Amino acid sequence: MNILTFILGVPIRAVRGPVSLSADLEALPQLQVYYDKNIAPISRKYETQRVACLKAARKRLYLSFIIVLGLTLLTVIGYRSGAAYFPPLPLLALLGLGWWSFAPVRDFKQSVQQHVYPLMFKYFGEDFVYSREMRLDMNRLVAAKVLPHYDKVRFGDYIQGCYKGVDLMINELTLTKKVTVETQDINSNRRRTVTRTHTLFHGLVVELNSHKAFTGHTVVLRDRGGLVNFVSDSYAGLTRVKLEDPQFEKEFDVFSTDQVESRYLLNTAFMERLQQLAKHFGGDVQCAFFRNKLMMFLPNRSIHFNMQSIFNGTTFSAEFSQINREMKQLFAIIEILKLNQHTGL
């Protein structure tokens, strides 16, 4: 079923049948066992709710069509007869009633996010938490001096747990800023000033506990270009750190409040692992050693924990498989950087 067949009145039926998960052959058996025990039973209940939800939405949609059609006819009659009428009324009614028609669908998806998704994340450990309401401390993120100055912040999915002895918190983050630019009007050939919203950062922030306490503040940024590197020996009150690895210096800029500690943290092995991690995530990796945490900033990366189409059966097999793939990618930060090993971090 799709939106067109839904509107045209194709019968809404529960989808039952075999379920297939997708994962590495090595991990698939364990994934399947957890699914069969914890997710499959609840998916049958939600499939019944999905059918009821779509039937309720269709009834509302049909009623909305009738109301909008009636208002449109009244508007046309008022226009032809010269009586008082309000032309935008049918359009406003269409927007409002359209939002009302699909309210059951929104409520259903919200219920899945609140009750089913947290259950899926328990697969990685009983202490794993998934939430749309929890968020990282923005004051701490700003103090880490990696993110740009912004006007507005928006948080997305939040995940918290412990993987191989390393506590981690993951949050999707979007930063925007209003900027004033001059444009030229094509018709009048005059320049005018307009305000636009510019996205400064959209991606993931990952906070990881470190095995080693550190007193200084060190940031590792993507290389900002030869000219900037040449003229800048400081960054937001931090001092540039010169490292012995020329290849690392080409890819990253390092600034710190403690020259000795920063070189200890960024030893040869860690620099190699950070370069490997940058390749794993397509080059977009920045980090900060701050307040006993390693903060990773992954621009232009999102976590896709969205529910499948409401018109598909709610087996949650596709969602569970996708969550497993996404989390494996994020766990790679700990694996590649060897944070679970006592290697100085």
Side-chain angles (χ1 to χ4, degrees), residues 45 49 170 227 254 271 324:
K45 181 187 77 170
Q49 293 181 10
I170 305 164
L227 180 60
V254 180
M271 285 192 289
N324 182 59

Side-chain angles (χ1 to χ4, degrees), residues 55-76:
K55 288 181 178 179
R58 179 182 279 173
K59 287 180 180 179
R60 291 188 178 202
L61 190 62
Y62 286 172
L63 178 60
S64 298
F65 283 156
I66 294 172
I67 293 174
V68 171
L69 180 60
L71 291 174
T72 302
L73 291 174
L74 289 175
T75 301
V76 172

Side-chain angles (χ1 to χ4, degrees), residues 282-295:
D284 287 331
V285 172
Q286 301 187 115
C287 67
F289 297 88
F290 185 57
R291 295 179 184 173
N292 293 328
K293 290 184 181 293
L294 171 58
M295 301 179 182

Side-chain angles (χ1 to χ4, degrees), residues 163-180:
Y163 178 75
K164 293 189 175 182
V166 179
D167 294 328
L168 76 159
M169 292 180 287
I170 305 164
N171 211 170
E172 194 169 19
L173 184 70
T174 302
L175 303 178
T176 57
K177 185 180 181 66
K178 289 184 177 180
V179 294
T180 302

Side-chain angles (χ1 to χ4, degrees), residues 219-230:
V219 298
V220 181
L221 309 175
R222 292 299 296 174
D223 185 88
R224 298 173 297 163
L227 180 60
V228 177
N229 292 343
F230 180 77

Side-chain angles (χ1 to χ4, degrees), residues 114-286:
Q114 289 179 345
H115 300 104
V116 181
Y117 275 50
L119 185 63
M120 294 182 187
F121 279 91
K122 294 297 181 185
Y123 169 72
F124 306 105
E126 283 298 318
D127 58 344
F128 267 79
V129 174
Y130 168 83
S131 174
R132 294 283 297 181
E133 286 74 39
M134 297 175 66
R135 58 190 59 180
L136 291 173
D137 183 353
M138 196 63 203
N139 291 329
R140 184 168 67 245
L141 296 182
V142 171
K145 298 184 178 181
V146 174
L147 295 173
H149 295 290
Y150 65 94
D151 292 330
K152 188 175 181 181
V153 57
R154 186 175 73 251
F155 293 92
D157 294 301
Y158 175 92
I159 304 138
Q160 177 179 315
C162 182
Y163 178 75
K164 293 189 175 182
V166 179
D167 294 328
L168 76 159
M169 292 180 287
I170 305 164
N171 211 170
E172 194 169 19
L173 184 70
T174 302
L175 303 178
T176 57
K177 185 180 181 66
K178 289 184 177 180
V179 294
T180 302
V181 297
E182 285 191 355
T183 62
Q184 189 165 354
D185 192 299
I186 299 176
N187 298 323
S188 63
N189 202 28
R190 292 181 178 177
R191 300 187 67 82
R192 59 192 182 97
T193 302
V194 296
T195 302
R196 294 176 179 171
T197 300
H198 179 56
T199 300
L200 301 175
F201 178 90
H202 175 70
L204 299 181
V205 179
V206 183
E207 283 193 2
L208 303 152
N209 279 356
S210 170
H211 286 307
K212 177 187 179 297
F214 39 84
T215 58
H217 179 185
T218 301
V219 298
V220 181
L221 309 175
R222 292 299 296 174
D223 185 88
R224 298 173 297 163
L227 180 60
V228 177
N229 292 343
F230 180 77
V231 300
S232 175
D233 286 326
S234 63
Y235 174 80
L238 309 179
T239 306
R240 172 179 290 280
V241 178
K242 295 291 185 180
L243 300 170
E244 297 179 358
D245 188 334
Q247 184 58 41
F248 189 86
E249 289 263 282
K250 288 181 181 179
E251 296 183 34
F252 297 98
D253 291 333
V254 180
F255 301 89
S256 179
T257 58
D258 190 324
Q259 294 282 320
V260 175
E261 183 180 72
S262 63
R263 290 187 177 89
Y264 173 67
L265 293 171
L266 294 168
N267 54 46
T268 302
F270 186 84
M271 285 192 289
E272 290 177 355
R273 294 195 292 267
L274 190 60
Q275 288 173 295
Q276 185 181 352
L277 186 67
K279 292 178 182 178
H280 184 81
F281 285 106
D284 287 331
V285 172
Q286 301 187 115

Side-chain angles (χ1 to χ4, degrees), residues 64 67-68 71-72 75 86-100:
S64 298
I67 293 174
V68 171
L71 291 174
T72 302
T75 301
F86 185 56
L89 183 59
L91 178 59
L92 294 175
L94 179 64
L95 295 175
L97 291 171
W99 182 89
W100 171 75

